[in-house]
Amino acid sequence: MPDLSPQALALYFILFVVFLFSTTCHEAAHALAAKIGGDETAFLGGQVTLNPVPHIQREPWGMVVIPITLLVFSGGRSLMGWASAPYDPDWARRHPHRAAWMALAGPATNYTLMLIAAILWRLGQSQGWLHRGSFAYTLIYATFSLNLLLGTFNLLPVQPLDGSSAIMLFMPEYRAARYLDWLRGNQYGILGLVVALVGFRYVYGPIETYATKFLLLSHF
């Protein structure tokens, strides 16, 4: 049976709010980067916003139903979801480097939120108002850890994650356009996602340990 105690429900609420906010920022960054690059598809669809409602309307299962279900039935130990921002594939084909910047904008936003959380953590520790078990402690640490996870996972260079498009920045435009055609033409999206989910646990552990020690626990 899921833990529905007041303490557990409070934890689920904090984790879900952090997930919702972080995912909304991630997708809004994609949409804004596309607009700056000349594709207004997501902008016209109302995705360039920090209001989570348009993003939830686009992906209600990935942003609400699945995350809440996993939180409750895992006791707060597991959280997974997804979202998306629309874009014009013809625009991406014509401007693959701009499409790569659009893909990179989402993880970059997650890392920015992670760094903001790290600054707040250190400020709270130095000023003595951040206490283990408090609302602020849980909120800031959840923001740090979840955005580190989201940013790192989405940078994996496998379809359909952002990293599979972001690597086009390291290719000449003509080669990037051919690579983009290959991405669209293959049927390995589900396989790539499975490989990413299985392999990520081995990659993420050392990254999380190093980031936590350096950004939260080190003295500098």
Side-chain angles (χ1 to χ4, degrees):
M1 291 292 292
D3 184 357
L4 299 179
S5 66
Q7 295 83 359
L9 291 175
L11 176 62
Y12 304 157
F13 175 77
I14 292 172
L15 292 174
F16 176 69
V17 167
V18 171
F19 167 81
L20 189 64
F21 175 73
S22 302
T23 306
T24 296
C25 290
H26 180 108
E27 297 305 328
H30 282 319
L32 179 60
K35 183 178 185 298
I36 293 172
D39 177 17
E40 295 195 344
T41 304
F43 172 73
L44 295 175
Q47 307 298 120
V48 184
T49 178
L50 295 183
N51 178 358
V53 173
H55 303 282
I56 292 173
Q57 289 174 337
R58 181 171 172 80
E59 296 284 3
W61 282 88
M63 290 197 71
V64 177
V65 179
I66 298 300
I68 290 178
T69 301
L70 285 176
L71 276 173
V72 172
F73 283 91
S74 71
R77 293 184 298 273
S78 178
L79 175 58
M80 185 178 70
W82 64 88
S84 64
Y87 69 95
D88 180 359
D90 292 332
W91 166 83
R93 178 65 173 74
R94 293 193 305 272
H95 307 288
H97 282 176
R98 297 183 193 179
W101 283 114
M102 175 190 70
L104 193 60
T109 298
N110 290 129
Y111 284 133
T112 299
L113 292 173
M114 177 197 71
L115 291 174
I116 291 172
I119 292 170
L120 291 174
W121 177 278
R122 286 187 167 272
L123 182 63
Q125 293 282 8
S126 66
Q127 298 298 314
W129 53 261
L130 195 64
H131 306 290
R132 179 179 291 274
S134 67
F135 174 81
Y137 182 100
T138 304
L139 179 64
I140 293 173
Y141 186 75
T143 302
F144 174 86
S145 58
L146 184 56
N147 278 283
L148 174 62
L149 187 149
L150 287 173
T152 305
F153 181 71
N154 277 286
L155 277 181
L156 294 177
V158 295
Q159 193 182 14
L161 302 179
D162 296 329
S164 66
S165 297
I167 60 177
M168 292 190 298
L169 286 174
F170 303 100
M171 306 176 186
E173 287 225 342
Y174 75 91
R175 187 170 296 170
R178 292 171 59 187
Y179 168 76
L180 195 57
D181 289 339
W182 176 80
L183 276 184
R184 291 182 192 164
N186 74 61
Q187 303 297 318
Y188 303 132
I190 298 299
L191 177 61
L193 189 58
V194 171
V195 170
L197 288 171
V198 173
F200 185 64
R201 69 183 68 182
Y202 302 104
V203 175
Y204 183 65
I207 294 174
E208 181 185 30
T209 299
Y210 178 80
T212 301
K213 287 182 177 180
F214 180 72
L215 294 173
L216 300 186
L217 305 178
S218 63
H219 299 284
F220 58 82

